[in-house]
Amino acid sequence: MVIETLTPETNKVPKGPQKLLRADSRPVQWQISEGLVPYPEALATMQARARAIADGEAEELVWLLEHPPLYTAGTSAKAADLLRPDKFPVYDAGRGGQYTYHGPGQRIAYVMLDLRQRGRDIRCLVQNLEAWVIDTLAAHNIKGELREGRIGVWVQRPERGAMSEDKIAALGVRVSRWVSFHGISLNVAPDLSHYDGIVPCGIKDQGVTSFEDLGQLVTMPEVDMSLKSAFEQRFGPVLQASESDGGL
């Protein structure tokens, strides 16, 4: 199952429902990779982990990382939206959505959850991943919002006009055998000019922004702490993981 366009009917952020919490309260492993992780390596690792979770051989995992500069194409990507194909490497992601950018200064969170233990509701998962981002932004005094027909999280920019807004986070999820993978990307302090090689998510009339662009100068570890706290409020406890204790 591939989730391409799932958006809430209103701008109201859903509360984390009980069905997203595991009945056994088993914690999700939480792992942070240092340095820049090549995309093909991350994709292969993520796919293998999702298969192992489905087979009952591995724990659920949230994997935080950064990629080197690159573009990824979702299942709805249009060739015309790749404006500069020679600017950075381009990879087929196998997730829903269109073109997006990943690179240094952007926090990627790959979310591998067993939905058999969490209500088997993909729409609910997607809504609460968006809400997770909004909760994280709120912890840093940034108001993130949802827009009907546009997946991801948006920030109003009234200084540029009444209808102006920028995207601060993208979301793309795939579910196989009731295990999710892929996840979210949150702009902390990336080089926003790197987006000029694509039409991000196929949306031509709005821009992109970041914590830094909005004047919020935070470190990646500070954002990670906020992500962790907000995740636990919606999905339950996490346990710090590493390669030596059963992580990736």
Side-chain angles (χ1 to χ4, degrees):
M1 291 172 285
V2 178
I3 309 308
E4 295 188 11
T5 306
L6 288 179
T7 53
E9 295 179 357
T10 71
N11 197 40
K12 183 178 180 181
V13 179
K15 300 298 182 182
Q18 286 296 313
K19 66 180 170 182
L20 276 178
L21 302 175
R22 291 183 62 115
D24 59 7
S25 299
R26 196 175 187 89
V28 178
Q29 290 191 340
W30 185 271
Q31 184 160 333
I32 303 173
S33 289
E34 301 296 332
L36 303 179
V37 180
Y39 189 79
E41 175 186 324
L43 184 60
T45 300
M46 181 169 44
Q47 290 171 335
R49 181 60 173 248
R51 287 193 297 269
I53 293 170
D55 291 337
E57 298 173 352
E59 301 293 336
E60 296 177 303
L61 176 69
V62 174
W63 183 20
L64 305 185
L65 54 87
E66 294 174 79
H67 286 307
L70 59 93
Y71 299 129
T72 62
T75 54
S76 300
K78 301 174 183 177
D81 288 341
L82 182 59
L83 306 177
R84 298 179 61 187
D86 298 329
K87 186 175 178 69
F88 297 125
V90 182
Y91 298 99
D92 288 328
R95 51 151 176 80
Q98 302 186 45
Y99 283 107
T100 193
Y101 165 77
H102 297 315
Q106 182 189 73
R107 176 50 89 207
I108 304 294
Y110 289 134
V111 181
M112 289 152 270
L113 298 180
D114 187 349
L115 300 186
R116 296 168 300 186
Q117 304 295 327
R118 297 178 180 273
R120 294 178 184 256
D121 189 333
I122 300 171
R123 180 176 293 276
C124 183
L125 170 69
V126 172
Q127 289 175 334
N128 279 274
L129 290 175
E130 290 179 316
W132 172 36
V133 173
I134 289 172
D135 294 344
T136 300
L137 293 170
H140 297 275
N141 299 310
I142 297 173
K143 184 180 180 181
E145 298 180 315
L146 308 179
R147 290 291 178 263
E148 186 173 356
R150 284 192 261 150
I151 203 159
V153 179
W154 299 79
V155 176
Q156 293 186 30
R157 305 302 300 270
E159 70 276 12
R160 296 208 308 260
M163 302 299 292
S164 182
E165 55 191 7
D166 289 338
K167 192 171 190 175
I168 195 169
L171 183 147
V173 177
R174 182 167 182 173
V175 175
S176 176
R177 298 170 62 196
W178 288 109
V179 176
S180 68
F181 54 109
H182 295 283
I184 66 166
S185 59
L186 179 61
N187 288 341
V188 179
D191 184 339
L192 295 179
S193 71
H194 287 180
Y195 279 90
D196 65 12
I198 58 172
V199 178
C201 301
I203 300 171
K204 299 179 180 180
D205 59 346
Q206 303 294 348
V208 290
T209 190
S210 66
F211 281 70
E212 182 180 63
D213 184 50
L214 294 169
Q216 296 292 333
L217 303 181
V218 296
T219 66
M220 196 67 79
E222 289 172 330
V223 174
D224 291 346
M225 289 178 61
S226 298
L227 282 166
K228 183 178 179 181
S229 176
F231 182 90
E232 289 185 311
Q233 291 296 313
R234 292 186 174 273
F235 297 94
V238 303
L239 179 67
Q240 197 76 36
S242 67
E243 291 182 2
S244 61
D245 63 13
L248 291 167

